[in-house]
Structures are given as structure tokens and as C-alpha cells.
Amino acid sequence: MNKSVQPNDLSAVIEADRAHLWHHLLQHKTLETKDPKIIVEGKGMRVWDQTGKEHLDAVSGGVWTVNVGYGRERIANAVRDQLIKMNYFAQSAGSIPGSQFAEMLLAKMPGMSRVYYVNSGSEANEKAFKMVRQIAHKRYGGKKHKILYRERDYHGSTIACISAGGQPERNMQYGPYTPGFVEVPHCMEYRAQWECENYGERAADAIEEVILREGPDTVGAICLEPVTAGGGVITPPEGYWQRVQEICAKYDILLHIDEVVCGMGRTGTWFGYQQYGIKPDFVTMAKGVASGYAAIACLVTTEKVFDLFKTDMEDPMDYFRDISTFGGCTAGPAAAIENMKILEEENLLENTNAMGARFMANLGALMEKHKVIGDVRGKGLFCGAELVADRATKEPAHEKMVQAVVADCMAQGVIIGATNRSFTGFNNTLCFSPALIATADDIDQITDAVDGALTRVFG
């Protein structure tokens, strides 16, 4: 046990939590009979709870965020020093760390040129949606305003973002939704919607079919994750992204890539879209940008998009009339600068590729051993294992059984994830996104825990 953790002093904290906090993604009825979990300390790949129990974190803070691991003093010190000097001013003015990080970031994103700071992934996506709508009014009389999104993708928790979200269970009971968002089919070949060769191209062609149905002159943008995250860790089939890019060019549709999960090295390149040769118009990012050491998110655009908002100085409606209050916080870019330096100095992209290959090999071995694993998917340290009741029919494993695997791993001191309130009947994929500092021993400990859990839960 980490000696700095003092679990005996936390009874008052636990009771204050139980009495006053409204947790995320939690049915609070359970806390009437058990204590809430308090995470007290983190170091490297591991965290300790209020009982002093150590856990290996295989989901980077629960939601794929802490890319460089816990306890990075240099990030904390950079934030402290910056806050003392200048903590905040609205983004109508600039800041030293804001300018410095933008320059560092864009050096990793050839073809992109402008950074708009906000405080969450949801907000970053909202800003892109607003830009698309304003461009529609500025250039197309408001007609080219529709935004396409993909089944199973997730883009945030605001009403507009869930309107652009392809996870029905997350969206239920929150309608009516924002109009003008149109769904296209998912691209997961394991759950194939067509029998054909070149599945990736066929899945992309389905997007064109939706565009033609809606009318190309009404579709302004399409918003997609490079690798679908919470919808099942779905890596795109061969040929998919090349065809998507061709379709966007053909119909003058802006391409918005949501990198909130995949960004900052998670897939083994700086951004997931760079795995597939994509040339986006918008890129949004959040989680790994500062590894959770400060709240920061970014909307990055091309100069072509930027120029659309400065065409007429005499028109008071010409510019992007938007503000994000906490986009003016300097802690975010200060933390992001150190976060990026760590990724570079410690060669964490290379480590991500090496450890990702080991993770996928381990999952492949588990699939040979456990017939309940129907498919394994992943890119870098972003991996999933879909559990099924029957491999032949691909009938999904029952959600309670999947959650029992997660709970068993937690009891072993390993925190893993699973698709949660995503697709009715298909919350059946185990999700893994350990910090990019993971070692071979860490990877083996995670998959060993899953091995034991699958044996105990499924036999």
C-alpha cells in the first residue's frame, strides 16, 4: 500500500459524498447499502481508494483521459506557476501558454492552422456545429445546414451533441432533439449490415446514400470518430476512410473528426485520423490534451474555414460570435504544454504502438481460450473485446454478465471498462485504454485479470 494514503481519516469524506454528491453514470440507489468509492491518490498506472486498496487503472481515469499517468509533478508545477502569474482572461485576448501550446499542437497537425480553446469535448463539438451552421447562412442561404453523424459514435452530452450521437440509450428521455442532425450507418464489419467484398467501401457508400436522400445541397458537414470509442471500440475497415474523404469532396461537405478519445497518442499517432490519411476541416479534442491535470479542449480548423469568418469587416454578423468562458483559463494550455513534452521526451507514441501490439496479442490468446469472446479490436492502447453468448450467431452476452467481468477485475485490483448505456442489447464490449506509459508487465496483469474474470463469470 502507498504509505501516504490514510484511509482511517476519510469517514467524514465518505459521508459527505453520500449525502451531497451526484456522481456521473451511477445509480445512486446502490449507495444506500454500500460506500461510494473515493479515489484518494494516483501514481503512474495505479490508484488507491479510501480503504487503501491499490488498483491498476486500465481505463486512464475511467474515461480514457490520463494519457501520461498519475503524479506528474512537472505538470502540476507548471500549472501552479502559471496561475500565480496570470490565471485567466477571456479569449478575446491571448495568453502566453495559449499561444505556445497552439504552436506546438499545430506542428503535429499538418494542414490545420487555428485553435479555438474551450473546456470540454462536448463544447468543442458544439462550436464546430455552430461554425457549420453559420457557414450555411453566410454562403448557402441557410440551406446547407444538416450535419451527419454515425450510428454508435458519441460526441458529447449536451442536447445538440446527443442529437449528433449514435447511441440510443444515452439519448433516451432527453428529446426533443436539435433538428438538422441525420444518422448514417456504422462501419463495424463484425456486425456487418451488408454481405459484400470491400466492406469498408460499402459502409462509406452508405453515407453517400444518405446524402443523396437528404439532398447534397442541404448537408454541410459530417462528424465522425476515427475509431469509435464508447460504441464498441470500432476500428474502420480497409478502404473506409479514403472513400469517406472522396464523398466529402464530391459534395462539398466539411469533415469534422472527433478526436476527444483518440487524440494525443492514444492510437499510436498524435491523432487517430493520421492513421488513415484523412484531411479534416475540423478536429476536436479534449481528454488526453492535458491528461486530466487541467480542463482543456480544442477545436482546430484549417485556414480555409477560418477565412470564412473574416470576409467583411463592415458586417457585424460576419465573425464567429461565440465565447467559451473557461476557454480563457491558462491552466489548461500550461498543463497541455508539459503533457506534450512528456509524450515526446518519453517516446510514448512508440511505447503505445509496442504495448498496443502486446495487448492485442494477449486478447487474441484470450479469444482462443474463451469462446465468450467473439471479436477483439483495437488501435494502439485503445482496445476492445466483444463478448457473445454464441459465436456462431454473434448473440451478445448479457449486459449483467459483462458487468460481472468488470466487477471481478475490480475485485482483483484492476479497473477495466465496458460499453455503458450505448446500444440496447449491445452493451457487451470490454474496453481498455491504459495510460501510454504502460509496461509489458502492466499489460499482462490487465489481461491476466480478464482471463480469471471470464473463467469465473462464464466458466
Side-chain angles (χ1 to χ4, degrees), residues 121-381:
S122 296
E123 193 182 9
N125 286 329
E126 286 264 3
K127 303 309 184 187
F129 299 157
K130 287 180 70 176
M131 287 183 183
V132 171
R133 292 286 169 86
Q134 191 171 345
I135 290 168
H137 285 279
K138 285 164 61 64
R139 299 189 68 187
Y140 305 104
K143 190 173 184 181
K144 202 172 175 67
H145 69 275
K146 293 177 186 174
I147 296 168
L148 307 183
Y149 65 92
R150 186 171 56 196
E151 189 180 28
R152 285 183 174 259
D153 280 10
Y154 174 76
H155 300 298
S157 59
T158 64
I159 293 295
C161 286
I162 65 171
S163 302
Q167 299 181 359
E169 284 197 347
R170 287 197 184 276
N171 300 358
M172 285 178 183
Q173 303 175 345
Y174 298 123
Y177 307 119
T178 306
F181 291 90
V182 181
E183 187 176 80
V184 302
H186 69 73
C187 66
M188 178 164 46
E189 193 164 8
Y190 181 68
R191 297 280 173 192
Q193 300 175 84
W194 307 276
E195 292 184 10
C196 61
E197 296 182 5
N198 303 320
Y199 190 84
E201 292 182 13
R202 178 64 188 89
D205 286 341
I207 295 174
E208 184 173 33
E209 291 166 8
V210 173
I211 293 168
L212 293 173
R213 183 194 74 204
E214 296 293 323
D217 59 341
T218 70
V219 179
I222 182 168
C223 181
L224 301 168
E225 293 182 88
V227 176
T228 298
V233 190
I234 303 167
T235 49
E238 189 73 27
Y240 179 78
W241 275 111
Q242 182 180 354
R243 182 77 182 106
V244 169
Q245 191 87 59
E246 291 170 356
I247 291 166
C248 288
K250 181 178 181 179
Y251 297 108
D252 190 24
I253 292 171
L254 296 168
L255 181 54
H256 171 181
I257 301 296
D258 180 342
E259 291 273 354
V260 169
V261 172
C262 295
M264 285 296 153
R266 172 59 58 194
T267 69
T269 48
W270 282 104
F271 294 93
Y273 75 85
Q274 294 166 343
Q275 297 277 0
Y276 307 108
I278 304 166
K279 296 180 179 179
D281 298 289
F282 303 97
V283 178
T284 48
M285 64 194 75
K287 300 178 184 295
V289 174
S291 289
Y293 285 83
I296 180 174
C298 309
L299 163 59
V300 180
T301 71
T302 63
E303 201 69 8
K304 181 180 178 181
V305 169
F306 178 72
D307 284 345
L308 293 173
F309 292 88
K310 61 185 185 89
T311 55
D312 185 358
M313 283 188 60
E314 302 304 315
D315 181 358
M317 304 294 282
D318 182 63
Y319 62 95
F320 188 46
R321 304 177 315 283
D322 179 270
I323 188 170
S324 170
T325 297
F326 294 120
C329 289
T330 60
I337 289 169
E338 295 304 314
N339 185 71
M340 183 173 276
K341 287 180 179 178
I342 289 168
L343 288 165
E344 291 185 305
E345 292 167 12
E346 298 183 11
N347 297 314
L348 293 186
L349 269 63
E350 291 87 343
N351 189 64
T352 297
N353 285 311
M355 292 302 102
R358 187 182 189 95
F359 210 130
M360 288 301 292
N362 286 9
L363 289 177
L366 289 182
M367 186 174 175
E368 290 184 11
K369 180 177 179 180
H370 298 277
K371 64 181 181 180
V372 70
I373 299 179
D375 191 34
V376 295
R377 304 182 285 268
K379 182 68 75 172
L381 282 172

Side-chain angles (χ1 to χ4, degrees), residues 14-15 18 30-31 33-37 50:
I14 292 167
E15 290 313 309
R18 192 197 314 275
T30 62
L31 300 186
T33 55
K34 68 177 185 179
D35 285 345
K37 183 172 287 294
Q50 73 266 34

Side-chain angles (χ1 to χ4, degrees), residues 87-99:
N87 66 305
Y88 174 84
F89 199 89
Q91 271 285 290
S92 52
S95 71
I96 290 174
S99 297

